[in-house]
Amino acid sequence: MDIRRLYVSLKTRPFVILAGLTGSGKSSLTRTFAEAFGANSSNRQFRRVAVRPDWIDQTEVLGFVNPISQHFVPGWLAETVRDCERQPDRLHFVLLDEMNLAPVEQYLAEWLSAIEEARSGSEDVRMPLYSPSLTPKNADDWPASLKFPDNLMIVGTVNVDETTRPLSERVLDRANVLLLNVEVSDRHHEPDAELSGPWHVATAEWREVCATQPSGQRHDILIDIADILRPASIGVGLRAHLELERFIANADGVIDDVEALDWGIVQRIIPKIRGFKGHLTESLTELLEEFEKVGAEQSASILRRWLDDQVSDDEFLEGTDPRLALVRI
């Protein structure tokens, strides 16, 4: 199911966050998923980037003009976009490892803005690399801006502990957050299954299977959920509403309709729930009734965990906290 959720989430939007405890397989899942599409480090269609705590701007991401050499020094995203330009018919993947070691909304600001502009229907979306007033010596190789690529997927991994930053509302509003569990079965002792070759999915083929229009099947339920959370100052705005409906549309034939709604709520709405239990109890109780009414059992199980008497009224609830949200029914 985690693989199905990742697949549907990337069909919905090319930016997904995998959250969970250390060792839950976030990085290996991303790498294996990319390899299934024919993307690896050797063919430059897969890149792993380790985020550092000192990323406070976009210098490491987009690049900068060296004041001494007067050359533009590209960052990892600028180099990746160039790779996407050289192979426009292939999907490219970036694994942004431990992305919340630094403020995501700062170092990935241009990418997040470009995603929204591209989703609005703009055809020529560009990401600025440096001010047009500057004229670096390698300006012919690196112009002042690059076109936003439609064949690039970014998957970020998030560890939730005292060394990381909480994800901001701006980031949560622009990504599906997949909470992965740490369940150890005995399958790793079984003989390896016969592996098939990578699919080498072309960009045009990928676009054909991606539903861009939101599904209206669960519109009223999502409106009810937003109304319940509004008194608790938890916003489920138009962007989150549409992206959840697109997730349901892209899940057709992959995830059951009720499960798609359920997992969409877990990925889009649950991470937004933050605050002290005493302030949220009334809204969470009403929300639990709504989840149970529509059969959203995964979402309901998380709320039951939150509403348990063992969780004190003054305890701060965090939607991406694995101690509270990582449950399996």
Side-chain angles (χ1 to χ4, degrees):
M1 181 56 71
D2 288 338
I3 296 171
R4 290 171 184 263
R5 291 165 58 205
L6 176 59
Y7 169 63
V8 175
S9 296
L10 286 173
K11 285 174 62 182
T12 306
R13 177 178 280 247
F15 179 41
V16 174
I17 297 173
L18 302 182
L21 299 172
T22 301
S24 56
K26 300 182 295 294
S27 298
S28 58
L29 173 60
T30 305
R31 185 183 298 274
T32 306
F33 189 91
E35 288 176 351
F37 279 74
N40 54 55
S41 302
S42 300
N43 58 22
R44 297 181 65 87
Q45 290 175 229
F46 176 85
R47 179 191 292 256
R48 177 186 172 275
V49 178
V51 176
R52 297 200 310 267
D54 61 351
W55 286 11
I56 57 175
D57 56 30
Q58 300 182 88
T59 301
E60 294 284 348
V61 178
L62 294 176
F64 64 97
V65 176
N66 188 311
I68 298 177
S69 67
Q70 292 298 308
H71 278 73
F72 174 73
V73 182
W76 61 263
L77 182 55
E79 292 177 340
T80 303
V81 171
R82 272 297 172 83
D83 289 337
C84 292
E85 291 178 347
R86 296 186 187 100
Q87 296 178 300
D89 61 329
R90 294 297 180 192
L91 297 177
H92 294 248
F93 293 81
V94 168
L95 168 61
L96 206 52
D97 216 4
E98 298 192 57
M99 65 182 300
N100 60 334
L101 282 177
V104 182
E105 65 278 5
Q106 293 183 26
Y107 70 80
L108 215 57
E110 288 296 342
W111 169 261
L112 295 175
S113 297
I115 286 181
E116 291 308 309
E117 190 177 351
R119 300 290 282 186
S120 68
S122 300
E123 294 184 0
D124 188 22
V125 180
R126 306 192 70 84
M127 295 185 298
L129 302 181
Y130 55 85
S131 172
S133 62
L134 299 176
T135 54
K137 294 179 180 179
N138 57 344
D140 290 341
D141 296 325
W142 291 100
S145 64
L146 293 176
K147 186 175 180 179
F148 178 80
D150 63 354
N151 58 336
L152 175 59
M153 314 284 180
I154 292 185
V155 179
T157 70
V158 169
N159 288 327
V160 185
D161 55 38
E162 67 279 357
T163 67
T164 58
R165 299 168 179 266
L167 296 173
S168 70
E169 185 70 20
R170 185 186 181 204
V171 175
L172 291 175
D173 216 29
R174 287 163 171 78
N176 276 289
V177 180
L178 279 63
L179 299 169
L180 303 184
N181 207 344
V182 186
E183 292 183 347
V184 180
S185 69
D186 60 355
R187 293 185 61 186
H188 60 282
H189 293 297
E190 298 175 1
D192 291 338
E194 183 178 349
L195 300 178
S196 59
W199 296 322
H200 295 291
V201 178
T203 304
E205 294 174 323
W206 176 255
R207 290 198 201 102
E208 288 179 4
V209 301
C210 295
T212 57
Q213 294 301 316
S215 168
Q217 298 178 22
R218 300 290 181 170
H219 175 82
D220 293 340
I221 296 171
L222 298 179
I223 292 295
D224 291 341
I225 292 173
D227 290 341
I228 292 172
L229 289 174
R230 191 172 295 112
S233 299
I234 298 172
V236 182
L238 180 61
R239 180 186 294 114
H241 181 103
L242 291 175
E243 290 300 314
L244 212 162
E245 290 187 330
R246 288 192 183 100
F247 179 85
I248 295 173
N250 278 290
D252 185 35
V254 182
I255 303 176
D256 174 80
D257 177 58
V258 175
E259 283 189 301
L261 170 66
D262 192 5
W263 284 116
I265 292 170
V266 171
Q267 297 167 188
R268 274 283 172 182
I269 295 178
I270 294 295
K272 290 175 169 289
I273 300 178
R274 293 175 173 175
F276 291 97
K277 179 184 175 181
H279 299 154
L280 299 175
T281 298
E282 184 176 346
S283 295
L284 293 183
T285 302
E286 190 176 351
L287 196 61
L288 175 58
E289 294 176 358
E290 186 72 22
F291 290 165
E292 290 176 338
K293 184 171 66 176
V294 299
E297 286 302 320
Q298 291 288 345
S299 304
S301 65
I302 294 173
L303 294 198
R304 292 191 199 101
R305 181 86 175 268
W306 278 347
L307 291 170
D308 190 287
D309 291 339
Q310 294 182 1
V311 180
S312 64
D313 286 345
D314 60 352
E315 186 164 349
F316 187 83
L317 303 180
E318 166 62 67
T320 55
D321 189 340
R323 294 173 301 173
L324 294 173
L326 293 182
V327 293
R328 287 286 192 269
I329 59 172

